[in-house]
PDB file of all heavy atoms in Angstrom:
ATOM      1  N   THR A   1     -29.826   2.515  20.927  1.00  0.00           N
ATOM      2  CA  THR A   1     -29.064   2.755  19.703  1.00  0.00           C
ATOM      3  C   THR A   1     -29.946   2.596  18.469  1.00  0.00           C
ATOM      4  O   THR A   1     -29.908   3.421  17.546  1.00  0.00           O
ATOM      5  CB  THR A   1     -27.876   1.786  19.620  1.00  0.00           C
ATOM      6  OG1 THR A   1     -26.993   2.030  20.716  1.00  0.00           O
ATOM      7  CG2 THR A   1     -27.116   1.969  18.312  1.00  0.00           C
ATOM      8  N   LEU A   2     -30.734   1.523  18.436  1.00  0.00           N
ATOM      9  CA  LEU A   2     -31.614   1.278  17.301  1.00  0.00           C
ATOM     10  C   LEU A   2     -32.620   2.415  17.141  1.00  0.00           C
ATOM     11  O   LEU A   2     -32.873   2.897  16.029  1.00  0.00           O
ATOM     12  CB  LEU A   2     -32.339  -0.056  17.499  1.00  0.00           C
ATOM     13  CG  LEU A   2     -32.979  -0.693  16.260  1.00  0.00           C
ATOM     14  CD1 LEU A   2     -31.950  -0.964  15.174  1.00  0.00           C
ATOM     15  CD2 LEU A   2     -33.692  -1.978  16.648  1.00  0.00           C
ATOM     16  N   ASN A   3     -33.172   2.856  18.240  1.00  0.00           N
ATOM     17  CA  ASN A   3     -34.134   3.949  18.219  1.00  0.00           C
ATOM     18  C   ASN A   3     -33.492   5.246  17.742  1.00  0.00           C
ATOM     19  O   ASN A   3     -34.045   5.965  16.896  1.00  0.00           O
ATOM     20  CB  ASN A   3     -34.723   4.140  19.617  1.00  0.00           C
ATOM     21  CG  ASN A   3     -35.887   5.090  19.640  1.00  0.00           C
ATOM     22  OD1 ASN A   3     -36.935   4.813  19.071  1.00  0.00           O
ATOM     23  ND2 ASN A   3     -35.724   6.221  20.302  1.00  0.00           N
ATOM     24  N   ARG A   4     -32.304   5.541  18.265  1.00  0.00           N
ATOM     25  CA  ARG A   4     -31.605   6.767  17.890  1.00  0.00           C
ATOM     26  C   ARG A   4     -31.251   6.775  16.412  1.00  0.00           C
ATOM     27  O   ARG A   4     -31.406   7.789  15.710  1.00  0.00           O
ATOM     28  CB  ARG A   4     -30.346   6.928  18.752  1.00  0.00           C
ATOM     29  CG  ARG A   4     -29.586   8.223  18.486  1.00  0.00           C
ATOM     30  CD  ARG A   4     -28.445   8.415  19.471  1.00  0.00           C
ATOM     31  NE  ARG A   4     -27.454   7.350  19.384  1.00  0.00           N
ATOM     32  CZ  ARG A   4     -27.235   6.470  20.349  1.00  0.00           C
ATOM     33  NH1 ARG A   4     -27.942   6.511  21.466  1.00  0.00           N
ATOM     34  NH2 ARG A   4     -26.304   5.534  20.200  1.00  0.00           N
ATOM     35  N   ASN A   5     -30.788   5.629  15.898  1.00  0.00           N
ATOM     36  CA  ASN A   5     -30.424   5.543  14.480  1.00  0.00           C
ATOM     37  C   ASN A   5     -31.647   5.704  13.577  1.00  0.00           C
ATOM     38  O   ASN A   5     -31.570   6.326  12.511  1.00  0.00           O
ATOM     39  CB  ASN A   5     -29.741   4.205  14.196  1.00  0.00           C
ATOM     40  CG  ASN A   5     -28.364   4.113  14.798  1.00  0.00           C
ATOM     41  OD1 ASN A   5     -27.790   5.114  15.236  1.00  0.00           O
ATOM     42  ND2 ASN A   5     -27.812   2.906  14.867  1.00  0.00           N
ATOM     43  N   GLY A   6     -32.777   5.124  14.002  1.00  0.00           N
ATOM     44  CA  GLY A   6     -33.991   5.262  13.211  1.00  0.00           C
ATOM     45  C   GLY A   6     -34.432   6.704  13.098  1.00  0.00           C
ATOM     46  O   GLY A   6     -34.787   7.182  12.009  1.00  0.00           O
ATOM     47  N   ILE A   7     -34.420   7.411  14.210  1.00  0.00           N
ATOM     48  CA  ILE A   7     -34.819   8.824  14.211  1.00  0.00           C
ATOM     49  C   ILE A   7     -33.856   9.662  13.379  1.00  0.00           C
ATOM     50  O   ILE A   7     -34.268  10.550  12.619  1.00  0.00           O
ATOM     51  CB  ILE A   7     -34.901   9.346  15.657  1.00  0.00           C
ATOM     52  CG1 ILE A   7     -36.096   8.690  16.372  1.00  0.00           C
ATOM     53  CG2 ILE A   7     -35.024  10.862  15.694  1.00  0.00           C
ATOM     54  CD1 ILE A   7     -36.193   9.008  17.844  1.00  0.00           C
ATOM     55  N   ALA A   8     -32.558   9.359  13.478  1.00  0.00           N
ATOM     56  CA  ALA A   8     -31.561  10.104  12.693  1.00  0.00           C
ATOM     57  C   ALA A   8     -31.814   9.930  11.196  1.00  0.00           C
ATOM     58  O   ALA A   8     -31.691  10.886  10.418  1.00  0.00           O
ATOM     59  CB  ALA A   8     -30.156   9.627  13.054  1.00  0.00           C
ATOM     60  N   GLY A   9     -32.179   8.722  10.782  1.00  0.00           N
ATOM     61  CA  GLY A   9     -32.463   8.491   9.373  1.00  0.00           C
ATOM     62  C   GLY A   9     -33.673   9.268   8.890  1.00  0.00           C
ATOM     63  O   GLY A   9     -33.691   9.792   7.765  1.00  0.00           O
ATOM     64  N   ALA A  10     -34.678   9.367   9.739  1.00  0.00           N
ATOM     65  CA  ALA A  10     -35.878  10.125   9.372  1.00  0.00           C
ATOM     66  C   ALA A  10     -35.568  11.619   9.296  1.00  0.00           C
ATOM     67  O   ALA A  10     -36.031  12.317   8.386  1.00  0.00           O
ATOM     68  CB  ALA A  10     -36.983   9.856  10.387  1.00  0.00           C
ATOM     69  N   ARG A  11     -34.781  12.108  10.222  1.00  0.00           N
ATOM     70  CA  ARG A  11     -34.399  13.523  10.186  1.00  0.00           C
ATOM     71  C   ARG A  11     -33.613  13.845   8.907  1.00  0.00           C
ATOM     72  O   ARG A  11     -33.776  14.919   8.305  1.00  0.00           O
ATOM     73  CB  ARG A  11     -33.547  13.880  11.408  1.00  0.00           C
ATOM     74  CG  ARG A  11     -34.313  13.924  12.722  1.00  0.00           C
ATOM     75  CD  ARG A  11     -33.432  14.482  13.827  1.00  0.00           C
ATOM     76  NE  ARG A  11     -34.026  14.382  15.133  1.00  0.00           N
ATOM     77  CZ  ARG A  11     -34.920  15.237  15.639  1.00  0.00           C
ATOM     78  NH1 ARG A  11     -35.305  16.271  14.899  1.00  0.00           N
ATOM     79  NH2 ARG A  11     -35.409  15.064  16.852  1.00  0.00           N
ATOM     80  N   ARG A  12     -32.766  12.909   8.495  1.00  0.00           N
ATOM     81  CA  ARG A  12     -31.963  13.128   7.283  1.00  0.00           C
ATOM     82  C   ARG A  12     -32.848  13.337   6.055  1.00  0.00           C
ATOM     83  O   ARG A  12     -32.510  14.110   5.158  1.00  0.00           O
ATOM     84  CB  ARG A  12     -31.028  11.931   7.069  1.00  0.00           C
ATOM     85  CG  ARG A  12     -30.117  12.057   5.841  1.00  0.00           C
ATOM     86  CD  ARG A  12     -29.175  10.870   5.741  1.00  0.00           C
ATOM     87  NE  ARG A  12     -29.908   9.621   5.560  1.00  0.00           N
ATOM     88  CZ  ARG A  12     -30.350   9.180   4.368  1.00  0.00           C
ATOM     89  NH1 ARG A  12     -30.138   9.892   3.279  1.00  0.00           N
ATOM     90  NH2 ARG A  12     -30.981   8.026   4.289  1.00  0.00           N
ATOM     91  N   LEU A  13     -34.000  12.688   6.045  1.00  0.00           N
ATOM     92  CA  LEU A  13     -34.923  12.830   4.914  1.00  0.00           C
ATOM     93  C   LEU A  13     -35.779  14.091   5.009  1.00  0.00           C
ATOM     94  O   LEU A  13     -36.498  14.420   4.060  1.00  0.00           O
ATOM     95  CB  LEU A  13     -35.846  11.612   4.830  1.00  0.00           C
ATOM     96  CG  LEU A  13     -35.205  10.287   4.431  1.00  0.00           C
ATOM     97  CD1 LEU A  13     -36.274   9.205   4.326  1.00  0.00           C
ATOM     98  CD2 LEU A  13     -34.458  10.412   3.117  1.00  0.00           C
ATOM     99  N   GLY A  14     -35.722  14.761   6.141  1.00  0.00           N
ATOM    100  CA  GLY A  14     -36.511  15.981   6.294  1.00  0.00           C
ATOM    101  C   GLY A  14     -37.791  15.823   7.088  1.00  0.00           C
ATOM    102  O   GLY A  14     -38.637  16.728   7.095  1.00  0.00           O
ATOM    103  N   VAL A  15     -37.952  14.688   7.762  1.00  0.00           N
ATOM    104  CA  VAL A  15     -39.121  14.500   8.626  1.00  0.00           C
ATOM    105  C   VAL A  15     -39.013  15.461   9.807  1.00  0.00           C
ATOM    106  O   VAL A  15     -37.951  15.590  10.418  1.00  0.00           O
ATOM    107  CB  VAL A  15     -39.202  13.037   9.133  1.00  0.00           C
ATOM    108  CG1 VAL A  15     -40.307  12.885  10.179  1.00  0.00           C
ATOM    109  CG2 VAL A  15     -39.440  12.087   7.970  1.00  0.00           C
ATOM    110  N   GLN A  16     -40.108  16.136  10.115  1.00  0.00           N
ATOM    111  CA  GLN A  16     -40.131  17.070  11.228  1.00  0.00           C
ATOM    112  C   GLN A  16     -40.543  16.348  12.510  1.00  0.00           C
ATOM    113  O   GLN A  16     -41.372  15.433  12.477  1.00  0.00           O
ATOM    114  CB  GLN A  16     -41.114  18.208  10.951  1.00  0.00           C
ATOM    115  CG  GLN A  16     -40.789  19.028   9.710  1.00  0.00           C
ATOM    116  CD  GLN A  16     -39.453  19.729   9.814  1.00  0.00           C
ATOM    117  OE1 GLN A  16     -39.184  20.422  10.808  1.00  0.00           O
ATOM    118  NE2 GLN A  16     -38.595  19.548   8.809  1.00  0.00           N
ATOM    119  N   PHE A  17     -39.962  16.770  13.620  1.00  0.00           N
ATOM    120  CA  PHE A  17     -40.281  16.156  14.915  1.00  0.00           C
ATOM    121  C   PHE A  17     -40.792  17.219  15.879  1.00  0.00           C
ATOM    122  O   PHE A  17     -40.253  18.325  15.937  1.00  0.00           O
ATOM    123  CB  PHE A  17     -39.052  15.474  15.517  1.00  0.00           C
ATOM    124  CG  PHE A  17     -38.727  14.154  14.874  1.00  0.00           C
ATOM    125  CD1 PHE A  17     -38.043  14.106  13.662  1.00  0.00           C
ATOM    126  CD2 PHE A  17     -39.119  12.954  15.468  1.00  0.00           C
ATOM    127  CE1 PHE A  17     -37.757  12.893  13.052  1.00  0.00           C
ATOM    128  CE2 PHE A  17     -38.826  11.738  14.868  1.00  0.00           C
ATOM    129  CZ  PHE A  17     -38.149  11.705  13.661  1.00  0.00           C
ATOM    130  N   VAL A  18     -41.840  16.861  16.616  1.00  0.00           N
ATOM    131  CA  VAL A  18     -42.371  17.722  17.668  1.00  0.00           C
ATOM    132  C   VAL A  18     -42.211  16.977  18.987  1.00  0.00           C
ATOM    133  O   VAL A  18     -42.745  15.876  19.159  1.00  0.00           O
ATOM    134  CB  VAL A  18     -43.861  18.063  17.436  1.00  0.00           C
ATOM    135  CG1 VAL A  18     -44.432  18.794  18.652  1.00  0.00           C
ATOM    136  CG2 VAL A  18     -44.023  18.897  16.180  1.00  0.00           C
ATOM    137  N   GLN A  19     -41.442  17.567  19.896  1.00  0.00           N
ATOM    138  CA  GLN A  19     -41.213  16.960  21.201  1.00  0.00           C
ATOM    139  C   GLN A  19     -42.307  17.407  22.153  1.00  0.00           C
ATOM    140  O   GLN A  19     -42.511  18.593  22.366  1.00  0.00           O
ATOM    141  CB  GLN A  19     -39.844  17.385  21.753  1.00  0.00           C
ATOM    142  CG  GLN A  19     -39.494  16.775  23.099  1.00  0.00           C
ATOM    143  CD  GLN A  19     -38.942  15.369  22.981  1.00  0.00           C
ATOM    144  OE1 GLN A  19     -38.272  15.049  22.005  1.00  0.00           O
ATOM    145  NE2 GLN A  19     -39.222  14.540  23.976  1.00  0.00           N
ATOM    146  N   GLY A  20     -43.036  16.465  22.706  1.00  0.00           N
ATOM    147  CA  GLY A  20     -44.091  16.818  23.650  1.00  0.00           C
ATOM    148  C   GLY A  20     -45.155  15.741  23.722  1.00  0.00           C
ATOM    149  O   GLY A  20     -45.264  14.892  22.837  1.00  0.00           O
ATOM    150  N   GLU A  21     -45.929  15.790  24.758  1.00  0.00           N
ATOM    151  CA  GLU A  21     -46.977  14.801  24.987  1.00  0.00           C
ATOM    152  C   GLU A  21     -48.231  15.152  24.200  1.00  0.00           C
ATOM    153  O   GLU A  21     -48.739  16.276  24.292  1.00  0.00           O
ATOM    154  CB  GLU A  21     -47.305  14.744  26.480  1.00  0.00           C
ATOM    155  CG  GLU A  21     -48.390  13.748  26.834  1.00  0.00           C
ATOM    156  CD  GLU A  21     -48.744  13.782  28.305  1.00  0.00           C
ATOM    157  OE1 GLU A  21     -47.897  14.236  29.112  1.00  0.00           O
ATOM    158  OE2 GLU A  21     -49.861  13.349  28.645  1.00  0.00           O
ATOM    159  N   VAL A  22     -48.744  14.205  23.432  1.00  0.00           N
ATOM    160  CA  VAL A  22     -50.008  14.394  22.731  1.00  0.00           C
ATOM    161  C   VAL A  22     -51.137  14.145  23.726  1.00  0.00           C
ATOM    162  O   VAL A  22     -51.202  13.094  24.367  1.00  0.00           O
ATOM    163  CB  VAL A  22     -50.128  13.434  21.528  1.00  0.00           C
ATOM    164  CG1 VAL A  22     -51.533  13.482  20.934  1.00  0.00           C
ATOM    165  CG2 VAL A  22     -49.100  13.796  20.457  1.00  0.00           C
ATOM    166  N   VAL A  23     -52.037  15.122  23.839  1.00  0.00           N
ATOM    167  CA  VAL A  23     -53.127  15.003  24.811  1.00  0.00           C
ATOM    168  C   VAL A  23     -54.498  14.937  24.150  1.00  0.00           C
ATOM    169  O   VAL A  23     -55.503  14.687  24.822  1.00  0.00           O
ATOM    170  CB  VAL A  23     -53.097  16.184  25.811  1.00  0.00           C
ATOM    171  CG1 VAL A  23     -51.837  16.143  26.652  1.00  0.00           C
ATOM    172  CG2 VAL A  23     -53.211  17.527  25.088  1.00  0.00           C
ATOM    173  N   GLY A  24     -54.569  15.163  22.837  1.00  0.00           N
ATOM    174  CA  GLY A  24     -55.869  15.133  22.181  1.00  0.00           C
ATOM    175  C   GLY A  24     -55.767  14.882  20.693  1.00  0.00           C
ATOM    176  O   GLY A  24     -54.761  15.198  20.059  1.00  0.00           O
ATOM    177  N   LEU A  25     -56.813  14.282  20.136  1.00  0.00           N
ATOM    178  CA  LEU A  25     -56.912  14.020  18.707  1.00  0.00           C
ATOM    179  C   LEU A  25     -58.356  14.254  18.294  1.00  0.00           C
ATOM    180  O   LEU A  25     -59.283  13.770  18.945  1.00  0.00           O
ATOM    181  CB  LEU A  25     -56.498  12.576  18.394  1.00  0.00           C
ATOM    182  CG  LEU A  25     -56.675  12.096  16.948  1.00  0.00           C
ATOM    183  CD1 LEU A  25     -55.806  12.898  15.998  1.00  0.00           C
ATOM    184  CD2 LEU A  25     -56.353  10.597  16.844  1.00  0.00           C
ATOM    185  N   GLY A  26     -58.556  15.017  17.223  1.00  0.00           N
ATOM    186  CA  GLY A  26     -59.914  15.305  16.769  1.00  0.00           C
ATOM    187  C   GLY A  26     -59.924  15.807  15.344  1.00  0.00           C
ATOM    188  O   GLY A  26     -58.991  15.548  14.577  1.00  0.00           O
ATOM    189  N   MET A  27     -60.985  16.529  14.981  1.00  0.00           N
ATOM    190  CA  MET A  27     -61.115  17.107  13.656  1.00  0.00           C
ATOM    191  C   MET A  27     -61.215  18.623  13.789  1.00  0.00           C
ATOM    192  O   MET A  27     -61.638  19.141  14.837  1.00  0.00           O
ATOM    193  CB  MET A  27     -62.370  16.576  12.950  1.00  0.00           C
ATOM    194  CG  MET A  27     -62.402  15.064  12.780  1.00  0.00           C
ATOM    195  SD  MET A  27     -61.082  14.406  11.737  1.00  0.00           S
ATOM    196  CE  MET A  27     -61.568  15.005  10.119  1.00  0.00           C
ATOM    197  N   ASP A  28     -60.852  19.334  12.729  1.00  0.00           N
ATOM    198  CA  ASP A  28     -60.944  20.797  12.774  1.00  0.00           C
ATOM    199  C   ASP A  28     -62.398  21.236  12.575  1.00  0.00           C
ATOM    200  O   ASP A  28     -63.308  20.404  12.441  1.00  0.00           O
ATOM    201  CB  ASP A  28     -60.005  21.439  11.759  1.00  0.00           C
ATOM    202  CG  ASP A  28     -60.418  21.177  10.310  1.00  0.00           C
ATOM    203  OD1 ASP A  28     -61.483  20.558  10.079  1.00  0.00           O
ATOM    204  OD2 ASP A  28     -59.678  21.588   9.400  1.00  0.00           O
ATOM    205  N   ASP A  29     -62.621  22.547  12.535  1.00  0.00           N
ATOM    206  CA  ASP A  29     -63.979  23.085  12.449  1.00  0.00           C
ATOM    207  C   ASP A  29     -64.681  22.713  11.141  1.00  0.00           C
ATOM    208  O   ASP A  29     -65.909  22.692  11.079  1.00  0.00           O
ATOM    209  CB  ASP A  29     -63.952  24.613  12.597  1.00  0.00           C
ATOM    210  CG  ASP A  29     -63.533  25.051  13.998  1.00  0.00           C
ATOM    211  OD1 ASP A  29     -63.668  24.228  14.925  1.00  0.00           O
ATOM    212  OD2 ASP A  29     -63.068  26.197  14.145  1.00  0.00           O
ATOM    213  N   THR A  30     -63.895  22.426  10.109  1.00  0.00           N
ATOM    214  CA  THR A  30     -64.493  22.075   8.819  1.00  0.00           C
ATOM    215  C   THR A  30     -64.747  20.578   8.694  1.00  0.00           C
ATOM    216  O   THR A  30     -65.351  20.125   7.732  1.00  0.00           O
ATOM    217  CB  THR A  30     -63.571  22.511   7.663  1.00  0.00           C
ATOM    218  OG1 THR A  30     -62.357  21.732   7.693  1.00  0.00           O
ATOM    219  CG2 THR A  30     -63.212  23.982   7.770  1.00  0.00           C
ATOM    220  N   TRP A  31     -64.262  19.803   9.662  1.00  0.00           N
ATOM    221  CA  TRP A  31     -64.383  18.341   9.653  1.00  0.00           C
ATOM    222  C   TRP A  31     -63.743  17.725   8.413  1.00  0.00           C
ATOM    223  O   TRP A  31     -64.164  16.683   7.928  1.00  0.00           O
ATOM    224  CB  TRP A  31     -65.853  17.904   9.771  1.00  0.00           C
ATOM    225  CG  TRP A  31     -66.351  18.057  11.169  1.00  0.00           C
ATOM    226  CD1 TRP A  31     -66.893  19.185  11.712  1.00  0.00           C
ATOM    227  CD2 TRP A  31     -66.294  17.088  12.224  1.00  0.00           C
ATOM    228  NE1 TRP A  31     -67.185  18.976  13.045  1.00  0.00           N
ATOM    229  CE2 TRP A  31     -66.846  17.707  13.385  1.00  0.00           C
ATOM    230  CE3 TRP A  31     -65.856  15.772  12.293  1.00  0.00           C
ATOM    231  CZ2 TRP A  31     -66.950  17.038  14.595  1.00  0.00           C
ATOM    232  CZ3 TRP A  31     -65.974  15.098  13.498  1.00  0.00           C
ATOM    233  CH2 TRP A  31     -66.504  15.736  14.635  1.00  0.00           C
ATOM    234  N   THR A  32     -62.701  18.391   7.888  1.00  0.00           N
ATOM    235  CA  THR A  32     -61.980  17.851   6.739  1.00  0.00           C
ATOM    236  C   THR A  32     -60.538  17.517   7.062  1.00  0.00           C
ATOM    237  O   THR A  32     -59.882  16.811   6.299  1.00  0.00           O
ATOM    238  CB  THR A  32     -61.993  18.854   5.566  1.00  0.00           C
ATOM    239  OG1 THR A  32     -61.360  20.077   5.981  1.00  0.00           O
ATOM    240  CG2 THR A  32     -63.423  19.149   5.120  1.00  0.00           C
ATOM    241  N   ARG A  33     -60.026  18.015   8.186  1.00  0.00           N
ATOM    242  CA  ARG A  33     -58.643  17.768   8.572  1.00  0.00           C
ATOM    243  C   ARG A  33     -58.570  17.323  10.029  1.00  0.00           C
ATOM    244  O   ARG A  33     -59.416  17.691  10.848  1.00  0.00           O
ATOM    245  CB  ARG A  33     -57.768  19.014   8.370  1.00  0.00           C
ATOM    246  CG  ARG A  33     -57.820  19.613   6.976  1.00  0.00           C
ATOM    247  CD  ARG A  33     -56.739  20.644   6.780  1.00  0.00           C
ATOM    248  NE  ARG A  33     -55.462  20.028   6.456  1.00  0.00           N
ATOM    249  CZ  ARG A  33     -54.276  20.596   6.693  1.00  0.00           C
ATOM    250  NH1 ARG A  33     -54.207  21.758   7.302  1.00  0.00           N
ATOM    251  NH2 ARG A  33     -53.161  19.987   6.346  1.00  0.00           N
ATOM    252  N   PHE A  34     -57.554  16.547  10.320  1.00  0.00           N
ATOM    253  CA  PHE A  34     -57.332  16.076  11.681  1.00  0.00           C
ATOM    254  C   PHE A  34     -56.601  17.150  12.483  1.00  0.00           C
ATOM    255  O   PHE A  34     -55.833  17.946  11.928  1.00  0.00           O
ATOM    256  CB  PHE A  34     -56.485  14.803  11.673  1.00  0.00           C
ATOM    257  CG  PHE A  34     -57.184  13.601  11.125  1.00  0.00           C
ATOM    258  CD1 PHE A  34     -57.133  13.303   9.761  1.00  0.00           C
ATOM    259  CD2 PHE A  34     -57.890  12.742  11.959  1.00  0.00           C
ATOM    260  CE1 PHE A  34     -57.771  12.188   9.254  1.00  0.00           C
ATOM    261  CE2 PHE A  34     -58.531  11.627  11.455  1.00  0.00           C
ATOM    262  CZ  PHE A  34     -58.474  11.349  10.103  1.00  0.00           C
ATOM    263  N   THR A  35     -56.817  17.135  13.797  1.00  0.00           N
ATOM    264  CA  THR A  35     -56.057  18.009  14.691  1.00  0.00           C
ATOM    265  C   THR A  35     -55.397  17.156  15.768  1.00  0.00           C
ATOM    266  O   THR A  35     -56.019  16.245  16.315  1.00  0.00           O
ATOM    267  CB  THR A  35     -56.953  19.067  15.372  1.00  0.00           C
ATOM    268  OG1 THR A  35     -57.930  18.412  16.185  1.00  0.00           O
ATOM    269  CG2 THR A  35     -57.656  19.931  14.341  1.00  0.00           C
ATOM    270  N   VAL A  36     -54.145  17.448  16.033  1.00  0.00           N
ATOM    271  CA  VAL A  36     -53.397  16.793  17.108  1.00  0.00           C
ATOM    272  C   VAL A  36     -53.001  17.870  18.104  1.00  0.00           C
ATOM    273  O   VAL A  36     -52.371  18.866  17.729  1.00  0.00           O
ATOM    274  CB  VAL A  36     -52.143  16.074  16.570  1.00  0.00           C
ATOM    275  CG1 VAL A  36     -51.274  15.579  17.726  1.00  0.00           C
ATOM    276  CG2 VAL A  36     -52.534  14.913  15.671  1.00  0.00           C
ATOM    277  N   ALA A  37     -53.402  17.693  19.339  1.00  0.00           N
ATOM    278  CA  ALA A  37     -53.106  18.683  20.373  1.00  0.00           C
ATOM    279  C   ALA A  37     -52.029  18.164  21.312  1.00  0.00           C
ATOM    280  O   ALA A  37     -52.102  17.028  21.795  1.00  0.00           O
ATOM    281  CB  ALA A  37     -54.367  19.014  21.163  1.00  0.00           C
ATOM    282  N   THR A  38     -51.016  18.988  21.549  1.00  0.00           N
ATOM    283  CA  THR A  38     -50.040  18.719  22.591  1.00  0.00           C
ATOM    284  C   THR A  38     -50.368  19.632  23.764  1.00  0.00           C
ATOM    285  O   THR A  38     -51.317  20.411  23.710  1.00  0.00           O
ATOM    286  CB  THR A  38     -48.609  18.989  22.109  1.00  0.00           C
ATOM    287  OG1 THR A  38     -48.451  20.402  21.878  1.00  0.00           O
ATOM    288  CG2 THR A  38     -48.307  18.231  20.821  1.00  0.00           C
ATOM    289  N   ALA A  39     -49.603  19.553  24.809  1.00  0.00           N
ATOM    290  CA  ALA A  39     -49.848  20.414  25.965  1.00  0.00           C
ATOM    291  C   ALA A  39     -49.618  21.876  25.619  1.00  0.00           C
ATOM    292  O   ALA A  39     -50.133  22.769  26.304  1.00  0.00           O
ATOM    293  CB  ALA A  39     -48.946  20.005  27.122  1.00  0.00           C
ATOM    294  N   ASP A  40     -48.874  22.155  24.524  1.00  0.00           N
ATOM    295  CA  ASP A  40     -48.487  23.527  24.207  1.00  0.00           C
ATOM    296  C   ASP A  40     -49.095  24.084  22.927  1.00  0.00           C
ATOM    297  O   ASP A  40     -49.167  25.296  22.759  1.00  0.00           O
ATOM    298  CB  ASP A  40     -46.960  23.630  24.075  1.00  0.00           C
ATOM    299  CG  ASP A  40     -46.240  23.158  25.331  1.00  0.00           C
ATOM    300  OD1 ASP A  40     -46.651  23.567  26.423  1.00  0.00           O
ATOM    301  OD2 ASP A  40     -45.286  22.371  25.206  1.00  0.00           O
TER     302      ASP A  40
END
């Protein structure tokens, strides 16, 4: 319940959610931005 309510509050503010497993974290080709890779 606590978890569900927390997520609902974030959605109400406009936070975007991506459902999926994160499999990688790195930098882009310019080395100025982060990249987060999911399976998809």
Side-chain angles (χ1 to χ4, degrees):
T1 297
L2 198 59
N3 190 66
R4 183 173 61 247
N5 289 347
I7 291 174
R11 288 188 188 278
R12 181 177 63 83
L13 291 183
V15 172
Q16 300 298 309
F17 283 80
V18 172
Q19 181 82 33
E21 180 183 337
V22 171
V23 295
L25 174 63
M27 301 297 290
D28 68 4
D29 293 338
T30 67
W31 284 87
T32 60
R33 306 192 82 205
F34 290 89
T35 62
V36 172
T38 67
D40 303 313

